[in-house]
Amino acid sequence: MKPTDSQLISLYQKGNEEALSTLIHRHQRELFTFIFYKINDQDLANDIFQDTFMKIIVMLKEGRYNEEGKFILWAKRIAQNLIIDYFRAKSKNTKVSETTFNNEEFSIFDLIREPSENIEDQLVTTQIHEDLLKMLHFLPQNQQEVIKLRYYDGLSFKEIAEHTDMSINTTLGRVRYALINLRKIMEENNIILTR
């Protein structure tokens, strides 16, 4: 039987480093996805993800973990605070709008662009593509079409507009609504597309 998060934390606080590794592995996907959705930047998400786990380690070692809620909710609160700190620091230099923080233009397809992939990454990417294709079937036909042309065939918005006899604005609108709908499908079905 798998140990609970609380048991792993207790083991780690008693000096069992393997317990921490198990805990991180168990939650890294959900936590990274949470961070990425907030900031829409892969490199920055990785940095904040690392900082979050460094802070978690320090707080666990200092015995500052409270059992009020689940570990993952506690971890997300830490990540959320780090994200807020980042945007506060950034806004001192440039004004950050609310839409930057919760960007509606987020594309789940950004998650599958990897310049140099090893075999394992390629398999993950293939699985993500397959999952996305299944999800596309839940979209209206016109949204399916623009998504396939844009992200699978690599056409520009101008090329899609010409190919489908639509204006650029209609094309952009359909892609945007398709991505918003895919995001809803992911949230409703607890689908996580990340490595």
Side-chain angles (χ1 to χ4, degrees):
M1 195 171 150
K2 285 200 276 187
T4 65
D5 290 350
S6 297
Q7 289 169 331
L8 288 170
I9 288 163
S10 180
L11 286 168
Y12 173 64
Q13 288 172 329
K14 290 173 186 162
N16 184 335
E17 296 292 326
E18 190 62 36
L20 178 69
S21 176
T22 304
L23 192 67
I24 290 171
H25 185 74
R26 182 179 289 176
H27 296 290
Q28 65 184 5
R29 204 171 183 182
E30 185 177 348
L31 186 60
F32 181 83
T33 302
F34 170 80
I35 295 166
F36 184 83
Y37 273 38
K38 296 282 183 188
I39 54 181
N40 194 23
D41 180 310
Q42 185 96 20
D43 294 333
L44 181 58
N46 277 320
D47 289 345
I48 290 175
F49 177 79
Q50 298 297 331
D51 290 347
T52 301
F53 268 108
M54 289 309 295
K55 194 156 187 176
I56 286 169
I57 289 166
V58 168
M59 290 176 81
L60 289 178
K61 280 192 182 285
E62 291 174 354
R64 289 197 285 145
Y65 172 69
N66 58 36
E67 281 286 45
E68 288 169 21
K70 286 177 151 182
F71 170 80
I72 188 62
L73 297 178
W74 181 69
K76 283 179 180 177
R77 272 199 308 276
I78 292 170
Q80 176 80 8
N81 289 337
L82 288 171
I83 292 166
I84 290 167
D85 289 347
Y86 167 78
F87 280 111
R88 274 195 192 127
K90 188 179 174 188
S91 68
K92 285 177 184 172
N93 302 324
T94 55
K95 192 77 183 147
V96 179
S97 69
E98 198 62 61
T99 53
T100 310
F101 188 74
N102 209 344
N103 194 340
E104 277 302 321
E105 296 305 317
F106 163 77
S107 169
I108 53 179
F109 292 88
D110 291 337
L111 294 172
I112 59 177
R113 292 193 194 121
E114 275 296 323
S116 53
E117 294 185 320
N118 60 30
I119 297 294
E120 186 181 344
D121 286 339
Q122 286 172 13
L123 289 171
V124 172
T125 299
T126 301
Q127 184 60 54
I128 290 171
H129 274 281
E130 287 171 8
D131 290 346
L132 280 170
L133 277 172
K134 285 179 198 157
M135 284 169 34
L136 285 182
H137 293 297
F138 293 100
L139 297 178
Q141 191 61 44
N142 58 10
Q143 291 179 13
Q144 284 183 41
E145 183 183 26
V146 292
I147 289 291
K148 285 176 183 170
L149 291 170
R150 177 77 178 124
Y151 296 102
Y152 287 89
D153 298 340
L155 298 186
S156 69
F157 289 114
K158 185 170 184 260
E159 289 169 331
I160 295 170
E162 288 167 3
H163 182 80
T164 56
D165 276 337
M166 292 188 298
S167 70
I168 290 269
N169 284 342
T170 304
T171 303
L172 289 168
R174 283 193 185 163
V175 170
R176 183 171 183 271
Y177 285 117
L179 293 175
I180 289 169
N181 287 334
L182 283 171
R183 201 165 167 195
K184 281 182 192 160
I185 292 166
M186 286 172 65
E187 285 166 5
E188 286 165 6
N189 297 283
N190 283 330
I191 297 168
I192 296 170
L193 299 178
T194 187
R195 27 178 72 67

